[in-house]
Amino acid sequence: MQLLSNEQRIAQLIARFNEQSGRAVVQLPSWHFCDNEQDANDCALLVLKGVKQATTPSLYWFKANNEALPEVGDLAIFTNWQGQPLGIIETVSVTITAFNQISADYAALEGEGDKSLEYWQRVHWDYYQRELAGTGYQCHPDMPLVCEQFKLIFKE
């Protein structure tokens, strides 16, 4: 029995999504949350459970990597750290908010840890330090963040 590659798994996921949704999606971006295996896999499970409904990279990351900002209606495949597709999310809201203006309600939408603003600030500050290392951008309390809210619309 031959194991499927992640690319083959992604193609099958898209085919099943199209069959069930009546859409004709040909290709979707795929990515994992976070910058390490434990957090990436934990966050993916939180999405599958309906707990995690937002993600928040810095605006600087998009600039440093020449990436387009997400837009309402965007679809994406989220994976585990190993790149295995787990489901499809749809962007429902995108706002730019300063780090020090993130609300407790928004932090809870991220669904991580105890869902408190204090937890969110602590782990995300550390994350942004790693995310921006070597980019020429630095963390500061009013740095702009891309607050993307999403909904899980299909899972493996």
Side-chain angles (χ1 to χ4, degrees), residues 13-27:
L13 179 79
I14 291 172
R16 284 192 299 276
F17 171 70
N18 285 338
E19 185 178 302
Q20 291 185 22
S21 68
R23 298 197 194 192
V25 173
V26 175
Q27 186 175 344

Side-chain angles (χ1 to χ4, degrees), residues 7 15 44 46 85 99 101 123 133:
E7 292 78 19
L46 290 173
F99 178 86
Q101 297 298 311
V123 300

